[in-house]
């Protein structure tokens, strides 16, 4: 199979997605969150996991490990795929597909990051009001997965009032956001 057999030249007018990774590291009963720096375009002053874009030629695991290393200086243990999320932001030709990983950290040490402030938070007391709006819905489900569980599948869209609508495969009704 050559490059032409991939059909990319005829796919330019089809719906496409930008791949991203999102990683959550645990240490005991705590999870490492990144409070986005105030200058960030996306999720400024909001808590989220570690992650970012998948670079050309990079596989998803390599992208997840690179992003965690860049943002935290860590190499996580037991990193595994926990969820796949398709985001339909309303553009008929472009969306986002992010791959959510979970893993373990060997220590609670944090360092400065240009992306924001790294903080450990107890799972029982997450800063829900300050998190990216989808995290209170999906994070408990993701972190409750046993290590060998298959990934969860979510789709995000927006309603007529521009409110986030989260659906999970296997659930009949949207999840509350």
């Amino acid at each position: 199979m050559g490059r032409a057999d991939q059909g990319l030249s005829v796919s330019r007018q089809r719906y496409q997605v930008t791949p991203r990774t999102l990683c959550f590291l645990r240490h005991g009963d705590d999870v490492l969150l990144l409070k986005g720096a105030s200058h960030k375009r996306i999720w400024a002053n909001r808590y989220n996991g570690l992650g970012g874009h998948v670079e050309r030629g990079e596989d998803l695991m390599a992208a997840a490990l690179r992003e965690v290393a860049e943002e935290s200086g860590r190499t996580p243990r037991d990193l595994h795929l926990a969820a796949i999320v398709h985001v339909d932001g309303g553009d008929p030709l472009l969306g986002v597909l992010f791959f959510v990983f979970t893993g373990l950290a060997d220590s609670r040490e944090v360092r400065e990051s240009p992306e924001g402030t790294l903080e450990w938070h107890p799972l029982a007391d997450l800063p829900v009001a300050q998190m990216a709006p989808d995290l209170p819905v999906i994070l408990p489900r993701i972190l409750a997965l046993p290590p060998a569980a298959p990934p969860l599948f979510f789709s995000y869209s927006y309603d007529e009032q521009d409110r986030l609508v989260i659906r999970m495969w296997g659930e009949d009704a949207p999840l509350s956001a």
Side-chain angles (χ1 to χ4, degrees), residues 12 17 41 49-50 52 54 59 61 70 79 103 113 126 149-151 156 173:
R12 297 214 183 268
V17 294
R41 183 179 61 83
L50 308 173
V54 177
D59 65 64
M61 183 63 77
E70 286 176 3
L79 198 65
S113 171
L126 294 173
Y156 296 0

Side-chain angles (χ1 to χ4, degrees), residues 32-40 49-51 66-74 110-119:
L32 183 62
L33 298 175
L34 178 88
K35 186 171 186 180
S38 59
H39 69 273
K40 298 293 290 177
L50 308 173
R66 176 185 52 75
E67 287 288 348
V68 169
E70 286 176 3
E71 295 180 5
S72 72
R74 297 183 175 282
V110 294
R111 69 171 197 174
E112 287 188 34
S113 171
E115 299 292 324
T117 306
L118 294 164
E119 299 175 10

Side-chain angles (χ1 to χ4, degrees), residues 7 10 17 22 25 27 29 39 58 67-69 73-74 92-93 111 117 133 135 154 158 163-164 173:
V10 295
V17 294
L22 182 62
L25 302 184
H27 189 272
D29 290 331
H39 69 273
E58 201 172 39
E67 287 288 348
V68 169
R74 297 183 175 282
L93 292 176
R111 69 171 197 174
T117 306
L135 287 193
F154 296 96
Y158 293 85
R163 292 178 301 214
L164 178 63

Side-chain angles (χ1 to χ4, degrees), residues 91-170:
D91 186 317
L93 292 176
L94 188 61
V96 174
L97 193 62
F98 65 92
F99 301 85
V100 184
F101 292 84
T102 59
L104 302 174
D106 287 327
S107 76
R108 296 175 49 82
E109 183 180 328
V110 294
R111 69 171 197 174
E112 287 188 34
S113 171
E115 299 292 324
T117 306
L118 294 164
E119 299 175 10
W120 288 100
H121 289 272
L123 296 174
D125 189 28
L126 294 173
V128 172
Q130 299 171 319
M131 294 169 85
D134 61 325
L135 287 193
V137 176
I138 71 167
L139 189 57
R141 289 170 170 85
I142 289 167
L143 294 178
L145 288 173
L152 301 173
F153 296 93
F154 296 96
S155 64
Y156 296 0
S157 60
Y158 293 85
D159 67 14
E160 298 79 27
Q161 288 76 41
D162 201 29
R163 292 178 301 214
L164 178 63
V165 177
I166 300 174
R167 293 190 177 276
M168 186 171 90
W169 185 80

